[in-house]
Amino acid sequence: MTPSLLETFTRLIANTGPISIAHYMAESNARYYTSRDPFGTAGDFITAPEISQMFGELIGLWLADMWIRAGRPEPVHYVELGPGRGTLARDALGAARRYGLSPRVHFVETSTALKALQLELHPSAYWHADLSTLPADGPLLIVANEFLDALPVRQLVRTSEGWRERMVGVLDGRLVPVAGSAAMDAAVPEGRRDAPEGTVLETSPASAAVMYEVSGRLASQGGAALFFDYGHAEPRFGSSLQAVRAHRKVDVFSTPGEADLTAHVDFSALAPIALSREVQWLGTVEQGRWLRALGIEARAEALAAYSPPHAEAIHAARERLTGEGQMGVLFKVMGLAGPRWPEGAGFA
């Protein structure tokens, strides 16, 4: 019988000492996503594509508009990072095809369980373990919805002795956060070092690496990218690490590998990385604002008129995607485009 990840971590820490938050998060999510389909009402959480087809359709229209105004280059590739069940790709590609855009489909996915579901909807897609094997023969149209939030974060905490890395240790048989012993002051930007004791600074080297690779691809190959995630567009302090299981928040350290671990995306740290690669940063805006700019209100009305019995559910879904108290403000969308590609709708 395979030992639980809690048992594995407990033994590891007992033998070698505390592990980093990034190590803990990476191993936990690797176990979690490999072993299950976490989406939908029967899973642990629901993402925007599962809420309504409108989300994916508007993304597909945005990509088609960018491709058309770029001169309809061929070959062109649709790339989705962490495509879930394949629902977003189905809706986006269906909408794009109405305007002549039929790209080759590529998924960056490591979960065997989710690959099986994606294969049912997209039997001719290509799968990749990371971005390094994506094609280099044409522009890339990249979409990542709730992908960056699941990448490992590193946390630094201000102690009475200075900045230290926040680690995971064991106390009375439980996993708990502890401060490491190595001085980490040099890793904190100078203007933020004087924060009060107990302050946590969170970064995501893994997200930075993805942004660097995506931006480099767009700079050399052309194309555009959309990143949707919950997070913030201005720098912040504090831990945003959370665990969700069966649609409820649970203790981050109680059931590693059995709950979805995520952290808020710091879009303010990612935009400069993209700009350093000489691509266009189109902006970072609230998801609700972006969807409204692309016409979700009109799309909802059209769907409701076509299917009156489902009108209430359609408008409820639109509100969930765009409402201030729901996903509309907390979730952001960041857009990128190749150097000679047009500016994208919704970011003005």
Side-chain angles (χ1 to χ4, degrees):
M1 181 177 177
T2 303
S4 71
L5 201 52
L6 178 60
E7 293 171 328
T8 300
F9 279 142
T10 301
R11 284 200 305 269
L12 175 64
I13 293 168
N15 291 329
T16 64
I19 60 174
S20 69
I21 291 286
H23 180 175
Y24 175 80
M25 188 174 177
E27 293 289 339
S28 297
N29 277 349
R31 174 76 68 92
Y32 176 78
Y33 281 100
T34 298
S35 61
R36 74 200 68 212
D37 169 15
F39 302 100
T41 54
D44 293 321
F45 55 89
I46 298 176
T47 60
E50 308 291 337
I51 293 171
S52 172
Q53 68 188 70
M54 294 183 287
F55 183 76
E57 288 173 343
L58 292 177
I59 289 173
L61 295 178
W62 189 92
L63 295 175
D65 175 65
M66 291 289 282
W67 175 73
I68 291 168
R69 290 190 290 126
R72 301 174 184 262
E74 293 285 355
V76 61
H77 306 275
Y78 173 89
V79 178
E80 190 169 340
L81 312 183
R85 291 172 166 171
T87 307
L88 191 159
R90 178 197 64 195
D91 296 336
L93 293 168
R97 277 193 292 270
R98 297 201 295 269
Y99 295 89
L101 173 59
S102 296
R104 300 170 186 174
V105 178
H106 301 264
F107 294 144
V108 177
E109 180 62 76
T110 58
S111 168
T112 303
L114 292 176
K115 281 182 185 177
L117 296 175
Q118 296 154 16
L119 183 62
E120 293 179 10
L121 290 179
H122 307 279
S124 59
Y126 301 88
W127 279 264
H128 306 263
D130 55 48
L131 282 73
S132 65
T133 59
L134 291 176
D137 63 344
L140 304 179
L141 302 175
I142 301 173
V143 179
N145 179 60
E146 293 197 54
F147 174 77
L148 297 176
D149 66 339
L151 297 181
V153 294
R154 183 186 190 191
Q155 293 185 343
L156 304 177
V157 59
R158 177 73 188 276
T159 72
S160 59
E161 300 174 332
W163 288 92
R164 300 290 185 267
E165 183 156 14
R166 201 164 183 240
M167 314 286 282
V168 180
V170 176
L171 178 65
D172 297 330
R174 297 181 300 109
L175 299 182
V176 294
V178 298
S181 57
M184 299 298 296
D185 298 72
V188 179
E190 189 172 349
R192 309 183 80 182
R193 291 178 189 169
D194 292 334
E197 186 175 333
T199 299
V200 173
L201 177 63
E202 198 170 72
T203 64
S204 179
S207 295
V210 168
M211 190 57 55
Y212 187 85
E213 175 68 15
V214 165
S215 300
R217 290 284 192 146
L218 295 181
S220 62
Q221 296 176 231
L226 292 171
F227 290 88
F228 296 84
D229 237 309
Y230 62 95
H232 45 90
E234 301 294 335
R236 291 184 183 178
F237 283 118
S239 171
S240 67
L241 186 62
Q242 68 174 26
V244 173
R245 187 176 187 182
H247 303 275
R248 298 178 62 184
K249 289 185 178 181
V250 297
D251 185 335
V252 168
F253 302 106
S254 63
T255 55
E258 299 296 324
D260 178 46
L261 290 182
T262 60
H264 287 204
V265 176
D266 183 359
F267 286 103
S268 70
L270 299 179
I273 296 171
L275 291 170
S276 75
R277 301 286 267 168
E278 299 184 350
V279 298
Q280 297 184 71
W281 172 65
L282 304 179
T284 301
V285 299
E286 295 170 355
Q287 176 177 290
R289 171 183 162 185
W290 189 84
L291 290 172
R292 285 191 294 270
L294 265 72
I296 194 172
E297 303 285 354
R299 181 57 178 153
E301 293 294 341
L303 287 173
Y306 178 78
S307 181
H310 299 104
E312 184 176 347
I314 290 167
H315 288 301
R318 179 213 62 212
E319 177 62 19
R320 187 168 180 182
L321 292 171
T322 63
E324 288 189 11
Q326 301 197 50
M327 299 175 73
V329 173
L330 177 59
F331 279 71
K332 310 295 190 299
V333 52
M334 186 172 85
L336 304 175
R340 290 169 294 282
W341 274 57
E343 294 184 2
F347 291 101

